[in-house]
Amino acid sequence: MDLKRSVHLSNQFLLNGEADLVDPPLDSHGEVDENEVEARTQCKHANDFINVTDCTIHKFLNKVDSLADSPEESKAWLKTLQKGADNARAEDTHKISAFMATALNALTGRLKPDPVIDSESRKNCGLKHDLCGLLLCPIELDWDDEEVRNNVHNYEEGFKLGPTARALYANFTGDPTNLDAGYLKSKLLLKLYKFIFTLPSSAKSVSLEESSNENAEPPSGSKRHCTSHSSSRAPAKKDVVVATMLNMNNQVTLRSIAYTTVQLLFALSSAERWGGDHEGLNFYDTYYHTIDHFEGDHNNLNGSKDLLKWWDSLSASKVFSDHQRG
């Protein structure tokens, strides 16, 4: 999210008050004004983003407030921060593309990619590639149906890509009548999460083999967890553990899951560079759909709580422990 715009929207949110989100705005006909609801939701998202940024960047809000009367200096400072954030995301995206190509090319059976995914180019990814298209396809749609594929390719109404992509579901399958079942329990998502927030080597411990139990811990793809000193190592000084840098305290956060979700779908796409949307898939909507799913902005509050417990259990046993062992 753009920092300058986020600060502006956050200020609007604070000025108008949280009460705006309690009583839905009505139009001149007494109906809920969906455009105004969307505008208020964006202000809330921006305020949440600014609060998270303040926790990440020391005294960020203090700096914002101190520059309130110096718009040009504030603009220059926020531009510098934005450039750093964009560069970091671009670096993540470049590394993730190669990692995802390797992970997906190792799949076998019905999911074996044909042709193999190029780790150096994204031109044959996205809807152009059958496996990437399958994983990007919403769980509500049947990618095996040629007519459905054509409609998805042509961005027909009702056939657009979105946050319910198969890549985010356990075993890449789901129930179109129950979109919460298996959602965000993809082992590919977990594998990428470990790659981003712990160490690339720890991601190897997550096997992409199918499991009949979506709630089970992903099977380990590595046999290195033993007492032999030759089979494990402590992270070298040059190794950077992002979770440690962000002071995540060995806890999986909602926004770190949302960030990984966006990076996963972006890596599957054919987009050559970062943008807000590509081939009809809006990455900002995907990010906030993930946040709202956990924070209860949908109809299955118990399901979202169970999902968070699932991720929390993995934070202790699978996500952060592996990088400490090597």
Side-chain angles (χ1 to χ4, degrees):
M1 179 174 283
D2 180 81
L3 278 171
K4 182 182 177 182
R5 175 172 166 76
S6 296
V7 170
H8 173 70
L9 293 178
S10 176
N11 288 337
Q12 282 189 333
F13 177 80
L14 296 175
L15 286 172
N16 294 332
E18 295 187 28
D20 278 353
L21 297 175
V22 177
D23 300 317
L26 305 179
D27 59 22
S28 58
H29 302 289
E31 302 291 334
V32 174
D33 189 334
E34 297 296 343
N35 291 331
E36 182 62 21
V37 169
E38 175 62 23
R40 293 181 180 185
T41 300
Q42 286 185 11
C43 288
K44 179 184 182 300
H45 285 160
N47 187 65
D48 292 342
F49 172 71
I50 291 300
N51 288 330
V52 171
T53 303
D54 187 52
C55 294
T56 307
I57 302 176
H58 185 56
K59 294 186 177 181
F60 172 79
L61 285 176
N62 288 349
K63 182 71 172 180
V64 170
D65 292 340
S66 70
L67 295 176
D69 297 325
S70 306
E72 290 303 317
E73 187 179 350
S74 175
K75 180 181 178 181
W77 178 65
L78 290 174
K79 184 177 180 180
T80 299
L81 288 180
Q82 187 68 56
K83 183 178 180 180
D86 291 343
N87 289 341
R89 181 173 54 208
E91 183 179 0
D92 268 359
T93 300
H94 177 72
K95 293 178 180 177
I96 288 168
S97 294
F99 171 78
M100 286 287 292
T102 300
L104 293 175
N105 286 334
L107 291 173
T108 59
R110 64 184 182 88
L111 293 176
K112 184 177 181 179
D114 182 21
V116 297
I117 299 171
D118 190 341
S119 62
E120 300 297 327
S121 172
R122 304 170 62 83
K123 292 182 179 179
N124 74 330
C125 295
L127 298 178
K128 303 181 187 73
H129 193 283
D130 193 55
L131 176 60
C132 293
L134 169 69
L135 296 179
L136 286 168
C137 183
I139 208 73
E140 304 97 309
L141 303 178
D142 181 6
W143 181 255
D144 292 332
D145 187 314
E146 183 178 358
E147 183 177 355
V148 169
R149 288 200 304 275
N150 290 335
N151 287 332
V152 172
H153 278 285
N154 295 324
Y155 316 134
E156 298 288 347
E157 191 64 34
F159 293 87
K160 294 183 179 180
L161 304 183
T164 56
R166 288 182 178 274
L168 304 178
Y169 281 81
N171 296 329
F172 307 140
T173 60
D175 181 357
T177 65
N178 180 11
L179 297 180
D180 290 327
Y183 186 55
L184 298 178
K185 290 185 176 180
S186 160
K187 285 175 282 191
L188 184 60
L189 180 64
L190 176 60
K191 191 179 186 72
L192 182 57
Y193 188 100
K194 289 167 71 68
F195 178 82
I196 295 173
F197 291 100
T198 61
L199 291 174
S201 58
S202 72
K204 296 178 181 178
S205 68
V206 180
S207 168
L208 297 183
E209 294 176 5
E210 293 186 11
S211 170
S212 59
N213 180 6
E214 71 177 39
N215 294 309
E217 291 185 357
S220 173
S222 170
K223 298 181 180 180
R224 296 185 301 118
H225 304 311
C226 61
T227 57
S228 170
H229 293 292
S230 63
S231 62
S232 64
R233 65 175 181 86
K237 290 183 179 180
K238 65 178 180 179
D239 291 333
V240 178
V241 180
V242 174
T244 302
M245 292 176 59
L246 297 179
N247 298 315
M248 291 171 64
N249 298 318
N250 287 359
Q251 294 296 316
V252 175
T253 66
L254 308 186
R255 281 163 180 78
S256 62
I257 297 174
Y259 178 78
T260 308
T261 297
V262 170
Q263 286 286 10
L264 172 55
L265 299 189
F266 185 83
L268 290 169
S269 78
S270 58
E272 294 290 338
R273 60 183 61 85
W274 172 256
D277 57 77
H278 184 72
E279 293 184 330
L281 175 59
N282 188 296
F283 298 111
Y284 292 113
D285 287 350
T286 297
Y287 179 88
Y288 285 112
H289 181 277
T290 307
I291 297 294
D292 290 342
H293 184 84
F294 280 105
E295 293 186 338
D297 191 17
H298 69 307
N299 297 322
N300 187 7
L301 296 181
N302 291 330
S304 63
K305 290 178 181 178
D306 290 341
L307 177 60
L308 188 54
K309 288 180 181 178
W310 184 82
W311 274 94
D312 281 341
S313 69
L314 294 179
S315 70
S317 64
K318 288 286 182 184
V319 176
F320 294 109
S321 57
D322 284 344
H323 87 260
Q324 294 167 350
R325 289 193 293 266

